[in-house]
Each structure stands twice: as C-alpha cells, then as structure tokens.
Amino acid sequence: MDFKAADKEYIVNVYNRMDAVLDHGKGSVLYDVNGKEYIDLSAGIAVNVFGVCDDAWKDAVMAQLNKLSHISNVFYTEPQVILAKMLCEKTGMKKVFFSNSGAESNECAIKAARKYSHDKYGDGRYTIITLKNSFHGRTMATLTACGQDELHQDFGPFLDGFVYAEADNFESVKALAEENNVCAVMMELVQGEGGVHPLDPAFVRAVVDYAHEKDILVIIDEVQTGNGRTGALYAYMNYGIHPDIVTTAKAIGGGLPFAATMFADSCQYTLTDHTHGSTFGGNPICAAGAISIIERLDDTLMAEVREKGAYIKAELEGCQNVEFVSGMGLMIGVKLKKDLGTVVKECVDKGVLVLTANGLLRLLPPLNIPWDVLKKAVAIVKDVIDAE
C-alpha cells in the first residue's frame, strides 16, 4: 500500500506529516516500514516518557487487559484508586478527576474554577486569565483559553470569560484582574506550543501570591510539562508554588489516552455528584499503565533528566547557526539562524525525529534515552544545524 497517498485520501488532512511511515521500535529507537532506523527526540510530543514498547508499561497494561478492560464509573475499580492515592501522596493534592486528554483535563479545571467562584460569590465572577502564547487545547473552551490569535481564526463565536495577559508581566495580570470579575489564572510554566518558553520565577510567584490574596484560583497546565519532563515530577515543583488545580495528560498515559485534574484542599469539594463526568476517564487499562509510569519517576531519574537537558543545551548553544536555546529539563527549544523546515527535514532524513514549536526546533526525547543514543542524536542535529 502507498501509505502516504492513502493517508491523504482517507484521513482528514490537519497534520503536516513528516516524511516517515513509522512501523515499530523499542525505547528511543524507531524503524519505518522500509527498515530505516530513527532516534526519537520527539517521544510522541512528550507522551512516550520511557520510549516506545516500554516493558514495565506493557506488562502493566497487558495484565489489566486480561482482568478488566472497561467498566462504568458508577463502579469502583482498583487501578483508579491506587493511581489517585499515588498522585495525591506525591503532590500534596487532595482529589483527582480522571479523563482522556489534555484538553479534557483543562475543561475540567475551567468548569471547577467557575463553579468554585459561583458557589462562593454567585453569578458573574467567571473570567479566567491566561497568558499570551499559551496553548491549552482544541475544544471550544480550551481553544478560547489559548492566548494565540492565529488559533482563533474561523471558529467563532468563542466563549465569553477569557482574557490574555503578557507572560512575565505581573502588572498585566494585575490590571486584567482589576478590570474583570476573575475566578482563576491559568498558566503553563513552560509554554510548549508557544515556543518552549519557561516563565520567570519571580513573575510566577507574584501572580500566585496575588491570586491567593484575592481568592482567585491558580490553575497550572502540566499537560506537556508534567510527569518528569522538566526534571521534577511536575514543573510547578521547580517554582516552589502551591497551585489550586493541576492538569496533566500526555506522559501519564505512556501512550494510551489518559489525563488527570488534581485539586488542592481549596477546591477539593467543588465538583459534586453529577457536576462532571467521563465515560472512559480512569479506564482500568490506561490507569494501570499510568501507575507503572508514575511509580518510576523518582529523584534519581529526575536528576538524570536535568543532566541530559543541560548537556543538550550546552551542545547546541555552541552551534554557529543557533540564536538561543530555551526550555527546562528535557523540554528544549532551539531558535535557529537558518530555515527551520530545512533543518527538520534533514534531521529526519539523517535518522533523527524532531519537532517544532512556534518557530523553534523542539526536542522532547524519552526521559530514559541512553546517553550513547542521545549523544549520537545530538551530534547529528548539530551537524544539520551548522551545515552550509
């Protein structure tokens, strides 16, 4: 079969596919249908946290598949309870709601923030501040929450109740809070799709302090940054803050659709009977896989993630065609002085899978990528970047 032609004919063409029909792999190394080898510095956009076909994850998933594949959430299931307890103990959060994607976890957070404010203050206090260049999902509410004008074309009218502050500008956040009836501030601590931009710690702490003073909930979107990606279990831990709501997805499922919205004591009781739900949220198979992910994200691995991230930054900052390198842990953005599309194509042609984000080269390797494999991949990327 001509897979590329069939893809164009039968699949809605919303993805700008790279020129590789991937077939199988193990860990950080993948192969296409012709047997060509690739080193994966994309990890399914931060999903394959331990690479593809990870043995521990597979064993957990298969064991659960042979026990109970799905059942309604009107019944208890063991994997959900074990995972929720694990997440709460590791984060200090009090309650967890499970869903299937980052957008859904953020939808849950948005609903909870509005209900929290409505329960305490009545109608009208429902506006949420997000940051310019943010990305929170593609449903109507989460798309509206995105602080990127280009994402808001063609799909109006949008939901009322979202305003956009300048990142790293506390006065911008404060002004919007004073001008609107605000119930929450929602931030990615490293803006992923917006250009791999880590927020300034002083800005983040100022926003959190101000929000808590005004009883404005702090929502931290950890869909991409969470589950070890930045060198901490969740990125907010690098900032020394205590959010009211944390959302996460991608890596927590290890390759299956899974997400979580975690609530601090401030709003742990906000969502009540029949105020929210999800048919597949907390699916036993996905939850079993997530347990195998979360239980292995320990301090030793987090130190390794930080070390690998520092290595990639140091290597790429020395390239003559690199303007700057941004990011945190193994969430790396590279601003180039040459055509980004050409670099991406040549990297893939030479056997390294890379990504882009708002004009930057983006690298998101599996957290456990072996050092020799990582060094080989980085050497190829450097050669491509500095090639004439």
Side-chain angles (χ1 to χ4, degrees), residues 59-76:
D59 289 346
V61 167
M62 291 303 298
Q64 184 59 45
L65 180 63
N66 288 319
K67 290 175 64 178
L68 180 68
S69 60
H70 178 71
I71 196 66
S72 168
N73 274 318
V74 302
F75 301 101
Y76 297 99

Side-chain angles (χ1 to χ4, degrees), residues 28-54:
S28 306
V29 179
L30 307 179
Y31 299 87
D32 68 15
V33 291
N34 298 314
K36 180 178 176 179
E37 182 180 288
Y38 301 85
I39 298 174
D40 185 14
L41 298 187
S42 69
I45 312 185
V47 169
N48 299 324
V49 64
F50 289 110
V52 299
C53 297
D54 171 66

Side-chain angles (χ1 to χ4, degrees), residues 239-260:
Y239 284 79
I241 61 170
H242 299 284
D244 297 286
I245 304 175
V246 176
T247 65
T248 194
K250 289 187 181 290
I252 193 172
L256 289 173
F258 199 72

Side-chain angles (χ1 to χ4, degrees), residues 270-287:
T270 295
L271 294 178
T272 54
D273 190 27
H274 288 90
T275 57
H276 200 51
S278 171
T279 297
F280 290 104
N283 170 270
I285 296 171
C286 300

